[in-house]
Amino acid sequence: MTLDPRLEAILRASRTIAVVGLSPRTERPSHRVAAYLQRVGFRIVPVRPGAERILGEAAWPDLGTAAQHAGPLDIVNVFRRSETIPDLLEALLALRPRLVWLQVGVRHEPAAARLEAADIPVVMDRCLMVDHSWLVNP
């Protein structure tokens, strides 16, 4: 498996990851991935309307509120259906994370093109946990 050197550098330099759609249910993929990222040293910022805390962290209803309370977000990791990605676009453009990561099965070419045009790299349809674990244990 290979990872673009620019993305590898971003992953190595990042510390805070907002997880949009993070489920409080331990059996859900979003929860497993976020728990892994937390275990390996990332600060997780849950973005989940209606949740108070997930994985011991305060949960926020949207990206803007999360950034107001948690500070700059290095990476935004998205566990939402592809058709909901345009709903996140304006917040992503305003927050300017180092990287937007759309998990396995999540793709939205027009939104990715807008983010890339704003110099915000996008990874689509890949698992951040898998890529990160490969990076630290090649």
Side-chain angles (χ1 to χ4, degrees), residues 3-4 18 40 43 62 64 72 79 87-88 90 106 116 121 129:
L3 192 61
D4 177 306
V40 298
R43 177 176 174 224
D62 56 65
F79 284 88
D87 297 339
L88 301 172
E90 294 309 315
V106 184
E116 292 276 356
M129 178 178 72

Side-chain angles (χ1 to χ4, degrees), residues 7-28:
L7 298 178
E8 181 178 338
I10 292 169
L11 278 178
R12 289 189 186 280
S14 296
R15 294 290 157 249
T16 303
I17 302 176
V19 183
V20 178
L22 176 54
S23 176
R25 295 173 39 201
T26 58
E27 70 275 9
R28 301 293 296 175

Side-chain angles (χ1 to χ4, degrees), residues 50-115:
E52 289 186 27
R53 296 189 80 73
I54 303 174
L55 290 168
E57 299 290 339
W60 307 103
D62 56 65
L63 280 169
T65 305
Q68 280 180 325
H69 292 277
L73 306 172
D74 296 322
I75 298 172
V76 175
N77 187 17
V78 181
F79 284 88
R80 300 272 318 272
R81 292 184 321 275
S82 297
E83 61 268 18
T84 68
I85 301 308
D87 297 339
L88 301 172
L89 191 55
E90 294 309 315
L92 291 168
L93 290 167
L95 295 173
R96 302 200 52 75
R98 291 181 181 177
L99 177 64
V100 173
W101 195 289
L102 306 180
Q103 280 293 138
V104 173
V106 184
R107 298 188 66 81
H108 199 283
E109 300 291 341
R114 285 214 33 219
L115 291 165

